[in-house]
Amino acid sequence: MRRTKASQPLKSKIDVPWDTTGVNNAGSAQSMPLDQIVLPPNQPRRYFDPEALKQLTESIKQHGILQPLLVRPLGSGKYEVVAGERRYRSGIEAKLEAAPVVVRELSDDQAFQLALIENLLREDLNPVEETEGILQLLSLKLGRSVEEIPPLLYRLQRLQNKASTVTHNVMGEVENDSTNNAISDDEGDIELSTHNVMGETETDDSVLNHEPAVNQDLKIVESVFEGLGLMTWESFVKNRLPLLNLPEDILDALREGSLEYTKAKAIAQIQKLDERVAFLEQAIANNWSLSEIRQRISEKKAAASTPNTESNNYKERFTAATTKLRKSRIWSDPKKRKQIEKLVAQLEGLTNVE
C-alpha cells in the first residue's frame, strides 16, 4: 500500500546519516548569519514554483524561519545547505540577516543522499523530478552511474518475468500430476510424485538467484522502494522510466508542474518541434482537458493531410478534363475554341510564373 508524503515530513525507512524529523535534535538549533551559508553545487531539486516561493517569503517576513535549516561545515567559516533550500532562498529574499540552523558533519555522499530523500518526500514533487531523484538515489545505493540504472532495472524486470513464467508453468504441472495421482490408491506414489514436482518448482522459481550479483542488486532496489514507500520498483519501471523518453520541452513543462503526465504523453505525439511548442503553450494557457488535447491533435493531423488530398484531386480532375476535351466536338465551335484558347493562355501564364 502506498503511503502519502504528507504523513511523513522527512522520514523514511531508508538509512540516513541524521534523524531528519528533528526529534533527537530539537534542542541543537543555533542562529547563523545567512551570508555564511551557501547552496551546494549539485542540488537534486531543479525547479521552484515562483508563486509558492513568494508566499513563503511573505510568511517568513512576518514570522521568520520556523524550521531550522540543516547545514554542514565546509571550512573557512562557510556552511552548506543540506535540507531547507526553499527556506534559505525565501530568507534571502525576505532580507533576513540570520536563520536557525542545525549543524552536522556529513560527507558529500551523505549530504547528497539526505537532500535526495528530503526532495523525494515533498508533497508537491512532480513526476519528472521524482523519477530523476529515485534514479539518483539508486545510483548512490548501488554504486553505479545514473545512466546504468535504467538498463539494470529493465534487466531485473525481464528476469523476474521469466521466473514468474517458469513458476506458473511448473505449478500447472503440479495440478495435472495431482489430478492424475488422485485416481491411484497408492499413497506412496502420490507423495513421491508431488515431492519431485515441488522440488522442480523450488529450483525453477529461483531464476534470479542463479546470479548472486543480480540478486544482491534486486535486494537493494527493493529496499530503496520499500523505504521510500512511494511505489513498487515494478511500477516505477513500467510507468515512470518511459517518462524520461519524452521530448525535453515536454519534460520542462512537467518539471514546472504546468502539465499532467497524461496530457504530456498526448502532446508528445506532435513530431515537429515548433508545432509542438506552440500547441503546448496553448494547452497550458487554456487549460485544455485531455479529451480536448486529443481531439485537437486529431483535427491537426486531418488538416495536415487535406492539402495533399486536394492537390491530387485537382490533378485527377485536370487529367480527366483534358482527356474529354481531346475527344470532344468543341473544337468545331469557333466561340468555344476562343474560350479554350484563353484558358490555355492563362494556364501557360501560371506555369511561366513558376
Side-chain angles (χ1 to χ4, degrees):
M1 180 174 137
R2 174 174 173 149
R3 298 195 303 272
T4 59
K5 298 178 185 178
S7 66
Q8 40 181 357
L10 179 49
K11 187 173 179 65
S12 76
K13 292 181 181 179
I14 298 176
D15 292 332
V16 291
W18 179 61
D19 175 22
T20 54
T21 62
V23 174
N24 298 328
N25 302 283
S28 58
Q30 58 182 284
S31 181
M32 180 176 290
L34 281 174
D35 58 10
Q36 287 185 234
I37 305 172
V38 297
L39 290 173
N42 298 315
Q43 169 55 258
R45 188 171 187 178
R46 299 183 188 178
Y47 176 77
F48 293 87
D49 183 357
E51 187 59 34
L53 275 177
K54 184 178 178 181
Q55 292 175 4
L56 181 57
T57 301
E58 290 302 316
S59 174
I60 286 175
K61 284 180 180 178
Q62 295 181 34
H63 310 291
I65 296 177
L66 302 179
Q67 185 180 355
L69 312 177
L70 174 61
V71 300
R72 64 171 184 148
L74 294 178
S76 304
K78 293 292 183 179
Y79 295 81
E80 183 181 86
V81 174
V82 177
E85 182 176 351
R86 285 179 71 249
R87 279 164 279 149
Y88 170 79
R89 289 177 180 271
S90 294
I92 295 290
E93 189 66 25
K95 302 189 185 315
L96 294 187
E97 293 184 0
V101 301
V102 171
V103 180
R104 286 291 177 272
E105 291 281 350
L106 298 169
S107 67
D108 291 346
D109 284 348
Q110 288 175 326
F112 189 66
Q113 178 181 326
L114 189 53
L116 273 173
I117 294 173
E118 182 199 34
N119 195 43
L120 286 170
L121 297 179
R122 275 169 41 215
E123 185 68 21
D124 61 339
L125 189 64
N126 65 67
V128 178
E129 282 188 310
E130 187 173 67
T131 302
E132 293 173 335
I134 289 174
L135 289 176
Q136 288 177 310
L137 186 56
L138 288 170
S139 171
L140 281 174
K141 291 291 187 179
L142 291 164
R144 299 168 183 255
S145 67
V146 174
E147 292 74 20
E148 291 177 287
I149 303 304
L152 172 64
L153 291 176
Y154 281 124
R155 184 185 179 199
L156 291 175
Q157 183 190 50
R158 287 194 301 270
L159 288 172
Q160 189 173 73
N161 290 341
K162 181 179 178 183
S164 214
T165 302
V166 169
T167 302
H168 176 75
N169 291 340
V170 175
M171 290 307 295
E173 292 174 10
V174 172
E175 290 183 8
N176 291 336
D177 288 345
S178 298
T179 303
N180 293 333
N181 289 332
I183 300 173
S184 173
D185 293 328
D186 190 340
E187 294 181 1
D189 290 342
I190 295 175
E191 291 179 3
L192 180 60
S193 176
T194 304
H195 175 75
N196 289 341
V197 176
M198 291 307 292
E200 291 175 12
T201 303
E202 291 173 359
T203 302
D204 291 333
D205 194 28
S206 59
V207 173
L208 287 172
N209 294 327
H210 290 169
E211 299 182 52
V214 172
N215 190 44
Q216 182 61 31
D217 288 341
L218 179 61
K219 287 180 180 179
I220 294 172
V221 169
E222 287 177 336
S223 68
V224 167
F225 281 91
E226 182 182 354
L228 288 173
L230 304 175
M231 68 191 81
T232 65
W233 75 270
E234 295 94 338
S235 174
F236 179 80
V237 173
K238 180 181 178 182
N239 301 313
R240 288 304 181 83
L241 284 185
L243 180 152
L244 299 180
N245 294 325
L246 293 173
E248 195 59 36
D249 51 299
I250 299 290
L251 287 176
D252 287 341
L254 283 169
R255 287 190 184 100
E256 294 169 6
S258 55
L259 192 70
E260 291 86 349
Y261 179 37
T262 50
K263 295 180 182 180
K265 287 198 298 182
I267 296 175
Q269 297 174 29
I270 302 174
Q271 298 298 316
K272 292 185 178 179
L273 176 61
D274 54 344
E275 291 182 7
R276 187 175 63 245
V277 169
F279 189 94
L280 178 62
E281 291 174 352
Q282 291 180 58
I284 294 172
N286 297 299
N287 195 25
W288 289 341
S289 66
L290 179 59
S291 58
E292 283 179 303
I293 288 173
R294 286 173 174 168
Q295 181 181 350
R296 290 175 184 273
I297 290 175
S298 297
E299 291 172 355
K300 194 176 184 67
K301 289 179 179 178
S305 63
T306 300
N308 291 333
T309 303
E310 290 180 352
S311 177
N312 291 334
N313 286 341
Y314 287 139
K315 290 177 182 178
E316 291 173 3
R317 287 170 61 190
F318 180 79
T319 302
T322 52
T323 301
K324 288 181 180 179
L325 195 61
R326 290 193 190 97
K327 298 178 181 179
S328 175
R329 296 180 180 178
I330 197 172
W331 301 101
S332 59
D333 187 330
K335 291 183 179 179
K336 291 182 178 180
R337 191 166 61 191
K338 285 183 179 181
Q339 290 179 352
I340 292 172
E341 289 174 357
K342 288 181 181 179
L343 290 172
V344 170
Q346 289 176 357
L347 289 171
E348 288 174 344
L350 287 174
T351 54
N352 289 335
V353 169
E354 292 181 356

